[in-house]
Amino acid sequence: MKTSHIKSDIKEIANNLGNEVIGLSGKTVMITGGQGFLGRYFTEVFDYLNKNLLDKSCNLIVLDNHITCKQSGNQ
C-alpha cells in the first residue's frame, strides 16, 4: 500500500491532526474492517503517528472478518 502518493497522504493527514493527536499517546485503538480501504489508511496513519509524532506509541488492534472479500476458488 505504500506508494509515494499514499505515503505523502498519510504524512499530510497525520500532521494535520494537530494537538488532538497527543490524546492518543499510550492509548489502545481498535480498527474494525482493517483490510478494507479506509481500515488500511487508518492503520498506516497510526503507524506514522507512532513512529513520528507520539511520545508513547498507541496500541493498535486491527480486526477484519474478510466477509466482503472474495475467497480464492469461490469466484
Side-chain angles (χ1 to χ4, degrees), residues 8-19 48-49 52-53:
S8 65
D9 286 351
I10 300 299
K11 183 177 180 179
E12 183 177 352
I13 291 166
N15 289 325
N16 285 326
L17 291 173
N19 291 333
Y48 182 89
L49 292 174
N52 298 288
L53 298 175

Side-chain angles (χ1 to χ4, degrees), residues 13-53:
I13 291 166
N15 289 325
N16 285 326
L17 291 173
N19 291 333
E20 299 299 320
V21 75
I22 303 301
L24 294 170
S25 187
K27 303 291 184 182
T28 298
V29 177
M30 180 184 291
I31 297 175
T32 59
Q35 290 297 306
F37 178 76
L38 291 177
R40 288 183 291 175
Y41 250 89
F42 285 134
T43 301
E44 294 292 333
V45 169
F46 278 102
D47 183 54
Y48 182 89
L49 292 174
N50 282 340
K51 291 178 179 174
N52 298 288
L53 298 175

